[in-house]
Amino acid sequence: MSKIIIGRYIPGDSLVYKMDPRGKLLITILFILTIFLANNPITYAIITLFCFLAIIATGLKARVFWNGVKPLIGLIFFTSLLQLFFMTGGKVFWHWWIFSISSYGIVNAIYIFVRFTLIILISTVMTVTTMPLEIADAMEWLLKPLKVVKVPVDKIALVISIALRFVPTLFDETLKIMNAQRSRGADFNDGGLIKRAKAIAPILIPLFIHSLETAIDLSTAMESRGYRGSEGRTKYRVLNWSKYDLISLAYFVLLVGLLLIFRTH
Amino acid sequence: MNAKKILRTDLQQMIFLGMIVAMKIILSQFSFGSTIVKVGLGFIGSVLLAYFFGPVWGTIGGGISDLVSSAIFGNQGGFFIGFTLTAMAGPLIYALFLYNHPVKIWRIVASTILVTIIVNIGMNTLWLHLMYGMNFNALLVQRLPKEMIAPWVQMAVIYIVLQAVSRVKIKK
């Protein structure tokens, strides 16, 4: 089973770090949506340029971003290749059975490759420059409008923060349980699929019981400290908008403007 | 439904939901199988959410698990609302079959097949098609082989896990 690194945050103090996580999260989501607007070489060039400007603004080494793309590079190539063979139209260079390579296919494969890479890069900018806790706070803020349709946002915020807090703890616990079972002969990487499927229960059940016990203990602790539901409470961790968010907003508006001017309608 | 009886207050339920969401996130980081067919374990988290919390909170928990795992591990395909909907749809379908019902093989088989068709083949392929502008058929060719094998393994795992989980009793 693979090794997991928890948290991808890398400390720094460049421009991007000073931005409000809410602004960053919104712009990341919107950036991914604006990639849909690109439909010709000029717009793809513009959006690539803007993505690289954002990367430079983080002030981090190129290796960080390469590490973000590396695990997916095989998938990206494979996907682009499949697209190359399946897209038809334009000049046909090679044809066999249902596969063909056409000029349209080549252009599209390149577009998909660029899109894929840009989306991963811009998401890497977000996760590398923002602490998980800040991202979670930003998500909570984004969910707030759902209150209008009676979604229990406060409870969701509580669940988010508990999940966030306990992922590392439960992860350590998982490794501990696995080691404990291994020391008594359990084997998680051997045998057929069914044997491996059966090997999951000895990890899962202790983990499950541990979570159940933690839930009971934690709720007792929270109630004894005066927790009576999410309403009527103050906030200790507060997010503040800064002047740097105006820069990112202006940057984004400029990008959308340029894309709308140069895209083929 | 033992865990439901053990948990008394609403707060305990919510914290337990948080813990199961955390479990789903950790499980989805693990996978088993050979290099040809890799089966991620995230579906076990979806099943547990569905089994204990039902369609409403199970679905919400699925959505939260996607948000939190993107916050911690970064979303590998980029932040996209479609994948959050996918994470919500899985527990919803499982809950319709498994919540408040005895563990039966046909329920597991039917829910897994529905999840595979609607969520893994349907929705996820649709999102990739929308997100990257890929050809739908090419995507299906790429994804179908795995989705033909994985569900059968998943059914076996779900059966083993639910059998075991329904026997859990805690004395406090």
Side-chain angles (χ1 to χ4, degrees):
Chain A
M1 296 203 178
S2 56
K3 184 142 175 54
I4 306 167
I5 309 135
I6 295 206
R8 312 210 308 160
Y9 177 73
I10 296 166
D13 60 346
S14 58
L15 187 67
V16 181
Y17 284 90
K18 290 178 185 126
M19 289 172 187
D20 191 279
R22 291 171 290 183
K24 270 191 269 187
L25 184 64
L26 262 181
I27 283 183
T28 311
I29 294 168
L30 291 175
F31 188 95
I32 289 169
L33 292 178
T34 48
I35 292 182
F36 295 115
L37 285 178
N39 57 4
N40 58 21
I42 306 168
T43 43
Y44 272 102
I46 292 171
I47 206 155
T48 311
L49 178 75
F50 270 72
C51 181
F52 276 92
L53 282 177
I55 287 174
I56 291 165
T58 62
L60 290 166
K61 289 193 185 100
R63 171 150 287 273
V64 173
F65 296 96
W66 169 240
N67 284 340
V69 179
K70 198 167 64 183
L72 292 168
I73 200 88
L75 183 71
I76 299 176
F77 266 113
F78 183 63
T79 314
S80 303
L81 268 181
L82 267 181
Q83 295 301 317
L84 178 66
F85 289 122
F86 271 85
M87 289 270 184
T88 46
K91 209 173 150 206
V92 178
F93 298 111
W94 178 80
H95 188 83
W96 178 72
W97 194 37
I98 54 167
F99 304 106
S100 61
I101 295 181
S102 59
S103 56
Y104 185 71
I106 293 173
V107 171
N108 255 294
I110 295 171
Y111 281 172
I112 284 164
F113 184 82
V114 173
R115 270 194 195 197
F116 226 127
T117 320
L118 287 186
I119 288 177
I120 293 167
L121 284 177
I122 209 77
S123 305
T124 311
V125 170
M126 170 78 202
T127 46
V128 161
T129 61
T130 322
M131 279 185 277
L133 205 61
E134 287 182 329
I135 301 180
D137 284 342
M139 283 169 174
E140 189 192 325
W141 178 80
L142 274 184
L143 288 176
K144 267 189 185 156
L146 291 178
K147 260 185 189 165
V148 180
V149 283
K150 294 264 166 64
V151 175
V153 177
D154 301 318
K155 281 184 182 174
I156 291 177
L158 174 74
V159 176
I160 289 181
S161 48
I162 285 166
L164 198 66
R165 160 68 184 77
F166 278 98
V167 165
T169 319
L170 275 189
F171 180 60
D172 288 345
E173 192 65 28
T174 313
L175 291 185
K176 240 190 250 171
I177 292 167
M178 281 170 74
N179 285 335
Q181 304 281 26
R182 268 201 201 104
S183 71
R184 303 186 68 223
D187 193 351
F188 302 116
N189 295 318
D190 200 44
L193 272 179
I194 293 299
K195 200 179 162 225
R196 289 192 201 190
K198 272 187 180 163
I200 291 168
I203 310 172
L204 199 81
I205 300 309
L207 192 63
F208 176 76
I209 293 174
H210 176 80
S211 332
L212 202 54
E213 282 176 344
T214 314
I216 294 170
D217 289 347
L218 183 62
S219 67
T220 313
M222 281 174 73
E223 270 165 354
S224 58
R225 281 166 180 74
Y227 182 91
R228 297 164 138 217
S230 313
E231 279 111 55
R233 295 167 59 83
T234 53
K235 265 188 164 307
Y236 178 67
R237 273 199 330 271
V238 185
L239 297 173
N240 289 310
W241 294 103
S242 68
K243 60 177 185 278
Y244 300 103
D245 292 302
L246 285 177
I247 301 176
S248 62
L249 186 69
Y251 176 80
F252 184 72
V253 170
L254 183 66
L255 170 68
V256 175
L258 283 175
L259 284 181
L260 285 177
I261 294 167
F262 285 105
R263 80 191 291 256
T264 25
H265 291 281
Chain B
M1 287 300 113
N2 285 305
K4 282 198 78 186
K5 282 173 198 151
I6 298 161
L7 299 171
R8 288 182 310 271
T9 62
D10 193 37
L11 179 62
Q12 275 179 354
Q13 290 271 358
M14 286 300 111
I15 293 175
F16 189 50
L17 178 62
M19 303 297 290
I20 297 289
V21 167
M23 248 170 95
K24 177 167 163 23
I25 293 164
I26 291 164
L27 287 172
S28 59
Q29 300 295 318
F30 287 106
S31 60
F32 73 98
S34 51
T35 39
I36 306 155
V37 188
K38 264 210 177 325
V39 184
L41 295 184
F43 73 95
I44 300 178
S46 303
V47 171
L48 290 180
L49 282 174
Y51 185 70
F52 287 112
F53 299 99
V56 177
W57 279 102
T59 308
I60 294 176
I64 295 173
S65 77
D66 182 69
L67 296 182
V68 175
S69 79
S70 351
I72 298 179
F73 298 109
N75 216 325
Q76 285 217 311
F79 286 104
F80 186 66
I81 186 77
F83 294 112
T84 315
L85 293 180
T86 304
M88 293 169 86
L92 176 63
I93 295 171
Y94 282 124
L96 294 178
F97 282 89
L98 302 172
Y99 183 59
N100 277 346
H101 289 292
V103 180
K104 289 268 166 55
I105 289 177
W106 75 266
R107 291 186 181 277
I108 293 170
V109 172
S111 58
T112 312
I113 289 175
L114 271 184
V115 167
T116 309
I117 293 172
I118 297 177
V119 179
N120 297 352
I121 298 177
M123 287 170 85
N124 276 345
T125 314
L126 179 68
W127 306 138
L128 289 172
H129 170 69
L130 286 178
M131 208 172 163
Y132 300 110
M134 293 170 189
N135 184 311
F136 207 92
N137 295 333
L139 272 173
L140 281 181
V141 168
Q142 188 180 348
R143 298 168 60 88
L144 268 183
K146 195 209 142 192
E147 300 300 345
M148 302 286 266
I149 304 168
W152 311 105
V153 184
Q154 289 179 351
M155 284 170 203
V157 175
I158 292 172
Y159 186 72
I160 294 169
V161 166
L162 284 187
Q163 283 289 330
V165 160
S166 60
R167 273 185 274 128
V168 171
K169 286 190 181 97
I170 289 193
K171 293 182 184 77
K172 270 264 155 175

Coordinates of all heavy atoms in Angstrom, one line a residue, chain A residues 150-226:
Chain A
K150 N -32.1 26.2 3.6 CA -32.2 25.3 4.8 C -31.1 24.2 4.9 O -31.4 23.2 5.6 CB -33.6 24.7 4.9 CG -34.7 25.8 5.1 CD -35.0 25.9 6.6 CE -35.9 27.2 6.8 NZ -37.2 27.2 6.2
V151 N -30.0 24.4 4.3 CA -28.9 23.4 4.5 C -28.2 23.7 5.8 O -27.9 24.9 6.1 CB -27.9 23.5 3.3 CG1 -26.7 22.6 3.6 CG2 -28.5 23.1 2.0
P152 N -28.0 22.7 6.7 CA -27.4 23.0 8.0 C -25.9 23.3 7.9 O -25.1 22.4 8.2 CB -27.7 21.7 8.8 CG -27.9 20.6 7.7 CD -28.4 21.3 6.5
V153 N -25.6 24.5 7.5 CA -24.2 24.8 7.2 C -23.3 24.8 8.5 O -22.2 24.3 8.4 CB -24.1 26.2 6.6 CG1 -22.7 26.7 6.3 CG2 -24.9 26.3 5.2
D154 N -23.9 25.1 9.6 CA -23.1 25.1 10.9 C -22.7 23.7 11.2 O -21.5 23.4 11.5 CB -23.9 25.7 12.0 CG -24.4 27.1 11.8 OD1 -23.5 27.8 11.2 OD2 -25.5 27.4 12.0
K155 N -23.6 22.7 11.1 CA -23.3 21.4 11.3 C -22.2 20.9 10.3 O -21.3 20.1 10.7 CB -24.5 20.5 11.2 CG -25.4 20.6 12.5 CD -26.6 19.6 12.4 CE -27.5 19.7 13.6 NZ -28.7 18.9 13.4
I156 N -22.4 21.3 9.1 CA -21.5 20.8 8.0 C -20.1 21.4 8.4 O -19.1 20.7 8.3 CB -21.9 21.3 6.7 CG1 -23.2 20.5 6.2 CG2 -20.8 21.1 5.6 CD1 -23.8 21.0 4.9
A157 N -20.0 22.6 8.9 CA -18.7 23.2 9.2 C -18.1 22.4 10.4 O -16.9 22.2 10.4 CB -18.9 24.7 9.7
L158 N -18.9 22.0 11.3 CA -18.4 21.2 12.5 C -17.8 19.9 11.9 O -16.7 19.5 12.3 CB -19.5 20.9 13.5 CG -19.2 19.9 14.6 CD1 -18.3 20.6 15.6 CD2 -20.4 19.4 15.3
V159 N -18.6 19.2 11.0 CA -18.1 17.9 10.5 C -16.8 18.1 9.7 O -15.9 17.3 9.8 CB -19.2 17.3 9.6 CG1 -18.7 16.0 9.0 CG2 -20.5 17.0 10.4
I160 N -16.8 19.2 8.9 CA -15.6 19.5 8.1 C -14.4 19.6 9.1 O -13.3 19.0 8.8 CB -15.7 20.8 7.3 CG1 -16.7 20.6 6.1 CG2 -14.4 21.2 6.7 CD1 -16.9 21.8 5.2
S161 N -14.5 20.4 10.1 CA -13.3 20.7 11.0 C -12.9 19.4 11.7 O -11.7 19.1 11.9 CB -13.5 21.8 11.9 OG -14.8 21.7 12.6
I162 N -13.9 18.6 12.1 CA -13.6 17.3 12.8 C -12.9 16.4 11.8 O -11.8 15.8 12.2 CB -14.8 16.7 13.4 CG1 -15.2 17.5 14.7 CG2 -14.6 15.2 13.8 CD1 -16.6 17.1 15.2
A163 N -13.4 16.3 10.6 CA -12.8 15.4 9.6 C -11.3 15.8 9.4 O -10.4 15.0 9.4 CB -13.6 15.3 8.4
L164 N -11.2 17.1 9.2 CA -9.9 17.7 8.9 C -8.9 17.4 10.0 O -7.7 17.0 9.8 CB -10.0 19.2 8.7 CG -8.9 19.9 8.0 CD1 -8.9 19.5 6.6 CD2 -9.2 21.4 8.0
R165 N -9.4 17.6 11.2 CA -8.5 17.4 12.4 C -8.1 15.9 12.6 O -7.0 15.6 13.0 CB -9.3 17.9 13.6 CG -8.8 17.4 15.0 CD -7.4 17.9 15.3 NE -6.9 17.3 16.6 CZ -6.5 16.1 16.7 NH1 -6.4 15.3 15.7 NH2 -6.1 15.7 17.9
F166 N -9.1 15.0 12.2 CA -8.8 13.6 12.6 C -8.2 12.8 11.4 O -7.9 11.6 11.6 CB -10.1 12.9 13.1 CG -10.3 13.2 14.5 CD1 -11.1 14.2 15.0 CD2 -9.6 12.5 15.5 CE1 -11.3 14.5 16.3 CE2 -9.7 12.8 16.8 CZ -10.6 13.8 17.2
V167 N -8.1 13.4 10.2 CA -7.5 12.6 9.1 C -6.0 12.2 9.5 O -5.7 11.0 9.4 CB -7.5 13.4 7.8 CG1 -6.6 12.7 6.8 CG2 -8.9 13.3 7.2
P168 N -5.2 13.1 10.0 CA -3.8 12.6 10.4 C -3.8 11.6 11.5 O -3.1 10.6 11.5 CB -3.1 13.9 10.8 CG -3.9 15.0 10.2 CD -5.3 14.5 10.1
T169 N -4.7 11.9 12.5 CA -4.7 11.0 13.7 C -5.2 9.6 13.2 O -4.6 8.6 13.6 CB -5.8 11.5 14.7 OG1 -5.6 12.9 14.8 CG2 -5.5 10.9 16.1
L170 N -6.3 9.5 12.5 CA -6.8 8.2 12.0 C -5.8 7.5 11.1 O -5.7 6.3 11.1 CB -8.1 8.4 11.3 CG -9.4 8.4 12.1 CD1 -10.6 8.3 11.3 CD2 -9.4 7.3 13.1
F171 N -5.1 8.3 10.3 CA -4.1 7.8 9.4 C -2.9 7.1 10.2 O -2.6 6.0 9.9 CB -3.5 8.9 8.5 CG -2.5 8.3 7.6 CD1 -2.8 7.3 6.7 CD2 -1.2 8.8 7.6 CE1 -1.9 6.8 5.8 CE2 -0.2 8.3 6.7 CZ -0.6 7.3 5.8
D172 N -2.5 7.8 11.3 CA -1.5 7.1 12.1 C -2.0 5.8 12.7 O -1.3 4.8 12.8 CB -1.1 8.1 13.3 CG -0.2 9.2 12.8 OD1 0.3 9.1 11.6 OD2 0.0 10.2 13.5
E173 N -3.3 5.9 13.2 CA -3.9 4.8 13.8 C -4.0 3.6 12.8 O -3.7 2.5 13.1 CB -5.3 5.2 14.2 CG -6.0 4.2 15.1 CD -5.4 4.1 16.5 OE1 -4.7 5.0 16.9 OE2 -5.5 3.0 17.0
T174 N -4.3 3.9 11.5 CA -4.4 2.9 10.5 C -3.1 2.2 10.3 O -3.0 1.0 10.3 CB -4.8 3.5 9.1 OG1 -5.9 4.4 9.3 CG2 -5.1 2.5 8.1
L175 N -2.0 3.0 10.3 CA -0.7 2.4 10.1 C -0.3 1.5 11.3 O 0.2 0.4 11.2 CB 0.4 3.5 9.9 CG 0.4 4.3 8.6 CD1 1.5 5.2 8.5 CD2 0.4 3.3 7.4
K176 N -0.7 2.0 12.5 CA -0.4 1.2 13.7 C -1.2 -0.1 13.7 O -0.6 -1.1 14.0 CB -0.9 2.1 14.9 CG 0.2 2.4 15.9 CD -0.4 3.0 17.2 CE -0.1 4.4 17.3 NZ -0.9 5.1 18.4
I177 N -2.5 0.0 13.3 CA -3.3 -1.3 13.3 C -2.7 -2.2 12.3 O -2.5 -3.4 12.5 CB -4.7 -0.9 12.9 CG1 -5.4 -0.2 14.0 CG2 -5.5 -2.2 12.6 CD1 -6.7 0.5 13.7
M178 N -2.3 -1.7 11.1 CA -1.7 -2.6 10.1 C -0.4 -3.2 10.6 O -0.2 -4.4 10.3 CB -1.4 -1.8 8.8 CG -2.6 -1.5 7.9 SD -2.3 -0.3 6.6 CE -1.4 -1.4 5.5
N179 N 0.4 -2.4 11.2 CA 1.6 -3.0 11.8 C 1.3 -4.1 12.8 O 2.0 -5.1 12.9 CB 2.5 -1.9 12.3 CG 3.2 -1.2 11.2 OD1 3.4 -1.7 10.1 ND2 3.6 0.1 11.5
A180 N 0.3 -3.8 13.7 CA 0.0 -4.7 14.7 C -0.5 -6.1 14.1 O -0.1 -7.1 14.6 CB -1.1 -4.1 15.6
Q181 N -1.4 -5.9 13.1 CA -1.9 -7.2 12.4 C -0.7 -7.9 11.7 O -0.7 -9.1 11.7 CB -3.0 -6.8 11.4 CG -4.1 -6.1 12.1 CD -5.1 -6.9 12.8 OE1 -4.7 -8.0 13.3 NE2 -6.3 -6.5 13.0
R182 N 0.2 -7.1 11.1 CA 1.3 -7.7 10.4 C 2.2 -8.5 11.3 O 2.7 -9.6 11.0 CB 2.1 -6.6 9.7 CG 1.7 -6.3 8.3 CD 2.9 -5.7 7.5 NE 2.3 -5.0 6.4 CZ 2.2 -3.7 6.4 NH1 2.6 -2.9 7.3 NH2 1.6 -3.1 5.3
S183 N 2.4 -7.9 12.5 CA 3.3 -8.6 13.5 C 2.7 -9.9 13.9 O 3.4 -10.8 14.5 CB 3.5 -7.7 14.7 OG 2.3 -7.6 15.4
R184 N 1.4 -10.2 13.7 CA 0.8 -11.5 14.0 C 0.5 -12.2 12.7 O -0.4 -13.1 12.7 CB -0.4 -11.3 14.9 CG -0.1 -10.5 16.1 CD -1.3 -10.5 17.1 NE -1.6 -11.8 17.6 CZ -2.8 -12.3 17.7 NH1 -3.8 -11.6 17.3 NH2 -3.0 -13.4 18.2
G185 N 1.1 -11.9 11.6 CA 1.0 -12.7 10.4 C 0.1 -12.3 9.3 O 0.0 -12.9 8.3
A186 N -0.6 -11.1 9.5 CA -1.5 -10.7 8.4 C -0.6 -10.2 7.2 O 0.5 -9.7 7.4 CB -2.3 -9.5 8.9
D187 N -1.1 -10.5 6.0 CA -0.4 -10.1 4.8 C -1.4 -9.3 3.9 O -2.4 -9.8 3.5 CB 0.1 -11.3 4.1 CG 1.1 -11.0 3.0 OD1 1.2 -9.8 2.8 OD2 1.7 -11.9 2.5
F188 N -1.0 -8.0 3.7 CA -2.0 -7.2 2.9 C -1.6 -7.1 1.5 O -2.4 -6.5 0.7 CB -2.0 -5.8 3.6 CG -2.4 -5.8 5.0 CD1 -1.6 -5.4 6.0 CD2 -3.7 -6.3 5.3 CE1 -2.0 -5.4 7.3 CE2 -4.1 -6.3 6.7 CZ -3.2 -5.9 7.7
N189 N -0.4 -7.6 1.1 CA 0.0 -7.4 -0.3 C 0.2 -8.7 -1.1 O 0.9 -8.7 -2.0 CB 1.3 -6.6 -0.3 CG 1.1 -5.2 0.2 OD1 0.1 -4.5 -0.1 ND2 2.1 -4.8 1.1
D190 N -0.5 -9.7 -0.6 CA -0.2 -11.0 -1.2 C -1.6 -11.7 -1.4 O -2.5 -11.4 -0.8 CB 0.7 -11.8 -0.3 CG 1.4 -12.9 -1.2 OD1 1.8 -12.6 -2.3 OD2 1.5 -14.1 -0.7
G191 N -1.5 -12.7 -2.3 CA -2.7 -13.5 -2.5 C -3.6 -12.9 -3.6 O -3.4 -11.8 -4.1
G192 N -4.7 -13.6 -4.0 CA -5.6 -13.1 -5.0 C -6.5 -12.0 -4.5 O -6.4 -11.5 -3.4
L193 N -7.3 -11.5 -5.4 CA -8.2 -10.3 -5.1 C -9.1 -10.6 -3.9 O -9.2 -9.8 -3.0 CB -9.0 -9.9 -6.3 CG -8.3 -9.0 -7.3 CD1 -9.3 -8.7 -8.4 CD2 -8.0 -7.7 -6.6
I194 N -9.7 -11.8 -3.8 CA -10.6 -12.1 -2.8 C -9.9 -12.2 -1.4 O -10.3 -11.7 -0.4 CB -11.3 -13.4 -3.0 CG1 -12.2 -13.3 -4.3 CG2 -12.1 -13.9 -1.8 CD1 -13.3 -12.3 -4.1
K195 N -8.6 -12.8 -1.4 CA -7.9 -12.9 -0.2 C -7.5 -11.5 0.3 O -7.6 -11.2 1.5 CB -6.6 -13.7 -0.5 CG -6.0 -14.2 0.8 CD -4.8 -15.1 0.6 CE -4.0 -15.2 1.9 NZ -2.5 -15.0 1.7
R196 N -7.2 -10.6 -0.6 CA -6.8 -9.2 -0.2 C -8.1 -8.5 0.3 O -8.0 -7.7 1.2 CB -6.2 -8.5 -1.4 CG -4.8 -9.0 -1.8 CD -4.2 -8.1 -2.7 NE -3.1 -8.8 -3.4 CZ -2.2 -8.2 -4.1 NH1 -2.2 -6.9 -4.3 NH2 -1.2 -8.8 -4.7
A197 N -9.2 -8.8 -0.4 CA -10.4 -8.1 0.1 C -10.7 -8.5 1.5 O -11.2 -7.7 2.3 CB -11.6 -8.5 -0.9
K198 N -10.5 -9.8 1.8 CA -10.8 -10.3 3.1 C -9.8 -9.7 4.2 O -10.2 -9.5 5.3 CB -10.6 -11.8 3.2 CG -11.9 -12.5 2.9 CD -11.8 -14.0 3.1 CE -13.0 -14.8 2.7 NZ -12.8 -16.2 2.6
A199 N -8.6 -9.3 3.7 CA -7.6 -8.8 4.6 C -7.9 -7.4 5.0 O -7.3 -6.8 5.9 CB -6.2 -8.8 3.9
I200 N -9.0 -6.8 4.4 CA -9.3 -5.4 4.7 C -10.0 -5.3 6.1 O -9.8 -4.4 6.8 CB -10.2 -4.8 3.6 CG1 -9.3 -4.6 2.4 CG2 -10.7 -3.4 4.0 CD1 -10.1 -4.2 1.1
A201 N -10.9 -6.4 6.3 CA -11.6 -6.3 7.6 C -10.8 -6.2 8.8 O -11.1 -5.4 9.7 CB -12.6 -7.6 7.6
P202 N -9.7 -6.9 9.0 CA -8.8 -6.7 10.2 C -8.3 -5.3 10.3 O -7.8 -5.0 11.4 CB -7.7 -7.7 10.0 CG -8.2 -8.7 9.0 CD -9.2 -8.0 8.1
I203 N -8.2 -4.5 9.3 CA -7.8 -3.1 9.4 C -9.0 -2.3 9.7 O -9.0 -1.4 10.6 CB -7.1 -2.6 8.1 CG1 -6.1 -3.5 7.6 CG2 -6.6 -1.2 8.4 CD1 -5.6 -3.1 6.2
L204 N -10.1 -2.5 9.0 CA -11.2 -1.6 9.0 C -12.0 -1.7 10.3 O -12.3 -0.6 10.9 CB -12.2 -2.0 7.9 CG -13.1 -0.9 7.5 CD1 -12.4 0.1 6.7 CD2 -14.3 -1.4 6.9
I205 N -12.1 -2.9 10.9 CA -13.0 -3.0 12.1 C -12.3 -2.3 13.3 O -13.0 -1.5 14.0 CB -13.3 -4.4 12.4 CG1 -14.1 -5.0 11.2 CG2 -14.2 -4.6 13.6 CD1 -15.3 -4.2 10.7
P206 N -11.0 -2.5 13.6 CA -10.4 -1.8 14.7 C -10.5 -0.3 14.5 O -10.7 0.5 15.4 CB -9.0 -2.3 14.7 CG -9.0 -3.6 14.0 CD -10.1 -3.5 13.0
L207 N -10.3 0.1 13.2 CA -10.3 1.5 12.9 C -11.7 2.1 13.2 O -11.8 3.2 13.7 CB -9.9 1.7 11.4 CG -9.7 3.1 10.9 CD1 -8.4 3.6 11.6 CD2 -9.4 3.1 9.4
F208 N -12.7 1.3 12.8 CA -14.1 1.7 13.0 C -14.4 1.9 14.5 O -15.0 2.9 14.9 CB -15.0 0.7 12.3 CG -16.4 0.9 12.5 CD1 -17.0 1.9 11.7 CD2 -17.2 0.2 13.3 CE1 -18.4 2.2 11.9 CE2 -18.5 0.4 13.5 CZ -19.1 1.4 12.8
I209 N -14.0 0.9 15.2 CA -14.3 0.9 16.7 C -13.6 2.1 17.3 O -14.1 2.8 18.2 CB -13.9 -0.4 17.3 CG1 -14.8 -1.5 16.8 CG2 -13.9 -0.4 18.8 CD1 -14.4 -2.9 17.2
H210 N -12.3 2.3 16.9 CA -11.6 3.5 17.4 C -12.3 4.8 17.1 O -12.4 5.6 18.0 CB -10.2 3.5 16.7 CG -9.3 4.6 17.1 ND1 -8.6 4.7 18.3 CD2 -9.1 5.8 16.5 CE1 -8.0 5.8 18.4 NE2 -8.3 6.5 17.3
S211 N -12.8 4.9 15.9 CA -13.6 6.2 15.6 C -14.8 6.3 16.4 O -15.1 7.4 16.8 CB -14.0 6.2 14.1 OG -13.2 5.5 13.3
L212 N -15.5 5.2 16.6 CA -16.7 5.2 17.4 C -16.4 5.7 18.8 O -17.1 6.5 19.4 CB -17.3 3.8 17.4 CG -18.8 3.7 17.7 CD1 -19.6 4.6 16.8 CD2 -19.2 2.2 17.5
E213 N -15.3 5.1 19.4 CA -14.9 5.5 20.8 C -14.5 7.0 20.8 O -14.9 7.7 21.7 CB -13.8 4.6 21.3 CG -14.4 3.2 21.7 CD -13.2 2.3 22.1 OE1 -12.1 2.6 21.8 OE2 -13.6 1.3 22.7
T214 N -13.7 7.4 19.8 CA -13.3 8.8 19.8 C -14.5 9.7 19.7 O -14.6 10.7 20.4 CB -12.4 9.0 18.6 OG1 -11.4 8.0 18.5 CG2 -11.7 10.4 18.7
A215 N -15.5 9.3 18.9 CA -16.7 10.2 18.7 C -17.4 10.3 20.1 O -17.8 11.4 20.5 CB -17.7 9.6 17.7
I216 N -17.5 9.2 20.8 CA -18.2 9.3 22.1 C -17.4 10.2 23.1 O -17.9 11.1 23.7 CB -18.4 7.9 22.7 CG1 -19.4 7.1 21.8 CG2 -19.0 8.0 24.1 CD1 -19.5 5.7 22.1
D217 N -16.1 9.9 23.2 CA -15.2 10.7 24.1 C -15.2 12.2 23.7 O -15.4 13.0 24.6 CB -13.8 10.2 24.0 CG -13.6 8.8 24.6 OD1 -14.6 8.4 25.3 OD2 -12.6 8.2 24.4
L218 N -15.1 12.5 22.4 CA -15.0 13.9 22.0 C -16.3 14.6 22.3 O -16.3 15.8 22.7 CB -14.6 13.9 20.5 CG -14.4 15.3 20.0 CD1 -13.3 16.0 20.7 CD2 -14.1 15.3 18.5
S219 N -17.4 13.9 22.0 CA -18.7 14.6 22.3 C -18.9 14.9 23.8 O -19.4 16.0 24.1 CB -19.9 13.8 21.7 OG -20.0 12.6 22.5
T220 N -18.5 14.0 24.6 CA -18.5 14.2 26.0 C -17.7 15.4 26.4 O -18.1 16.3 27.2 CB -18.0 13.0 26.8 OG1 -18.6 11.8 26.3 CG2 -18.4 13.1 28.3
A221 N -16.4 15.4 25.8 CA -15.5 16.5 26.1 C -16.1 17.9 25.7 O -16.1 18.9 26.4 CB -14.2 16.3 25.5
M222 N -16.7 17.9 24.5 CA -17.2 19.1 24.0 C -18.4 19.6 24.8 O -18.6 20.8 25.0 CB -17.6 19.0 22.5 CG -16.5 19.0 21.5 SD -16.9 18.6 19.8 CE -17.8 20.1 19.4
E223 N -19.3 18.7 25.2 CA -20.5 19.1 26.0 C -20.0 19.6 27.3 O -20.6 20.5 27.9 CB -21.4 17.9 26.1 CG -22.4 17.9 24.9 CD -23.2 16.6 24.8 OE1 -22.8 15.6 25.5 OE2 -24.1 16.5 23.9
S224 N -19.0 18.9 27.9 CA -18.6 19.4 29.2 C -17.9 20.8 29.2 O -17.8 21.5 30.2 CB -17.6 18.4 29.9 OG -16.6 18.1 29.1
R225 N -17.5 21.1 28.0 CA -16.9 22.5 27.8 C -18.0 23.5 27.3 O -17.6 24.6 26.8 CB -15.7 22.5 26.8 CG -14.4 22.0 27.4 CD -13.4 21.6 26.3 NE -12.2 21.2 26.9 CZ -12.0 20.0 27.5 NH1 -13.0 19.1 27.5 NH2 -10.9 19.6 28.0
G226 N -19.2 23.1 27.4 CA -20.3 24.0 27.1 C -20.7 24.1 25.6 O -21.3 25.1 25.3

